[in-house]
Amino acid sequence: MTPASGSCSARQASSDDWTLIDLAPPVADLRADARAGLRASPKRLSSKYFYDARGSRLFEAITRQPEYYLTRVETALLEAVAPRIAQRVGPNVHVVELGTGSGIKTRQLLDALDDPVAYTSVEISKAALIDSTRALAAQFPHLQLLPVCADFTRPVPLPPARRAARRTLVFFPGSTLGNFDDDDALELLRSIRQTMGTHGLALLGFDLVKPVERLEAAYNDAAGVTAEFTLNLLARLNREADGRFDLNRFAHHAAYSVERERIETAIVSREAQTVDVAGETVHFDAGERIEVEISRKYTGASIRGIAAESGLAVAETWTDAARDFALVLLRAQDADA
Ligand code: AVJ
């Protein structure tokens, strides 16, 4: 998955079978965002900047750590319930995925669906979009691919498929919604409601509330991959924003807030220090935090709550036997079924 972090204007792309549709989203400005975020109190940097090439590789490595159950559980759940999802969704849908992942879940869904008419991936990083589209074209040679380079937090005007779709199915797995704070999550769900239309559906992945030990272990793996993933944000500022961070003087810190039902991840300064970055000099107290990520955990009630607030309703919920993770099918409140 890749929240906003690239530019669409860098490369043109198409093949005989597909053409990238470039909706020219505003280019994310790492330097300006870093300056503003490090001036703020508390300091903050957006988790959307995790996913440069190295960050995306590190995230894939996280998904293979024994403590990080999310991807394994969601993939197994999707494998088990894909036929029921296909039944409920019906034939000839236009699948619209928000963000690009490894493609495994995409394949599972497309394999199970009854004759989908098209697949659109909405992705802000043009390079990631081109790579994932090429891979999918090889795997599904008869499926129409309509890659759209755009910011998926906004409603996406969908390119029409050659064969008329019976409905749109928005796919947003990985509990990625949990990386957005409450206001932004609502805005994103309202955008999804717009994109899918009155008769569309949306299939979302939600990581569920569970004992704090397991949640914290998932974000503090013993091999230290998550720590490397978090600190890559500073490495990226060194590479792309003239940063002078010494990564040894900062630490990854992830803890679960029972009250807010979310993992809160910070980069903590191990000592008092001053660092140049993006043309500024930033002071850190010993123990001072840069807030970098939240990963919200959900309950049936909280899922129903945010759905209701964004004009959506829960049509169906599938969970694994241990109730670690949920795949939830959402419909518009004003739809008939
Ligand atoms: C990409 C949203 C699924 O929040 O669990 C993993 C990102 N951050 N470990 C999550 C992440 C640290 C991840 N998602």
Side-chain angles (χ1 to χ4, degrees), residues 255-305:
Y256 185 66
S257 163
V258 174
E259 193 193 327
R260 308 179 89 162
E261 295 184 323
R262 63 191 208 184
I263 291 282
E264 299 175 340
T265 301
I267 294 171
V268 180
S269 181
R270 293 184 190 268
E271 56 196 76
Q273 55 182 316
T274 296
V275 181
D276 289 345
V277 56
E280 299 212 341
T281 301
V282 182
H283 175 78
F284 294 88
D285 293 332
E288 187 175 354
R289 294 160 59 92
I290 311 171
E291 313 289 342
V292 296
E293 188 183 49
I294 56 168
S295 295
R296 194 158 174 8
K297 305 304 164 190
Y298 298 87
T299 62
S302 68
I303 293 168
R304 281 192 299 279

Side-chain angles (χ1 to χ4, degrees), residues 21-22 38 57 63 71 78 95 118 184 214 223 242 256 308 329:
I21 297 152
D22 195 343
L38 294 175
R57 274 199 304 278
T63 67
T71 312
L78 182 55
V95 178
D184 289 347
R214 268 192 80 210
D242 305 313
Y256 185 66
L329 196 65

Side-chain angles (χ1 to χ4, degrees), residues 145-308:
L145 303 181
L146 293 162
V148 173
C149 190
D151 173 0
F152 71 61
T153 65
R154 297 291 142 101
V156 184
L158 286 183
R162 260 189 312 264
R163 287 193 295 144
R166 294 209 196 178
R167 61 172 22 145
T168 299
L169 173 64
V170 173
F171 186 40
F172 193 40
S175 204
T176 302
L177 186 69
N179 287 158
F180 294 81
D181 71 23
D182 292 354
D183 289 347
D184 289 347
L186 265 189
E187 194 178 304
L188 174 50
L189 285 174
R190 287 180 180 140
S191 297
I192 289 174
R193 162 72 191 77
Q194 284 271 309
T195 300
M196 74 194 215
T198 308
H199 302 289
L201 294 166
L203 182 65
L204 272 69
F206 292 94
D207 192 24
L208 300 175
V209 167
K210 56 182 64 64
V212 54
E213 296 74 25
R214 268 192 80 210
L215 287 169
E216 292 191 340
Y219 293 83
N220 293 282
D221 62 279
V225 181
T226 305
E228 215 181 317
F229 173 74
T230 301
L231 292 172
N232 178 54
L233 205 44
L234 301 185
R236 183 172 182 188
L237 290 177
N238 287 349
R239 288 190 294 269
E240 297 180 31
D242 305 313
R244 295 282 180 275
F245 288 98
D246 176 352
L247 271 54
N248 296 313
R249 295 183 178 174
F250 290 88
H252 157 87
H253 185 269
Y256 185 66
S257 163
V258 174
E259 193 193 327
R260 308 179 89 162
E261 295 184 323
R262 63 191 208 184
I263 291 282
E264 299 175 340
T265 301
I267 294 171
V268 180
S269 181
R270 293 184 190 268
E271 56 196 76
Q273 55 182 316
T274 296
V275 181
D276 289 345
V277 56
E280 299 212 341
T281 301
V282 182
H283 175 78
F284 294 88
D285 293 332
E288 187 175 354
R289 294 160 59 92
I290 311 171
E291 313 289 342
V292 296
E293 188 183 49
I294 56 168
S295 295
R296 194 158 174 8
K297 305 304 164 190
Y298 298 87
T299 62
S302 68
I303 293 168
R304 281 192 299 279
I306 45 168

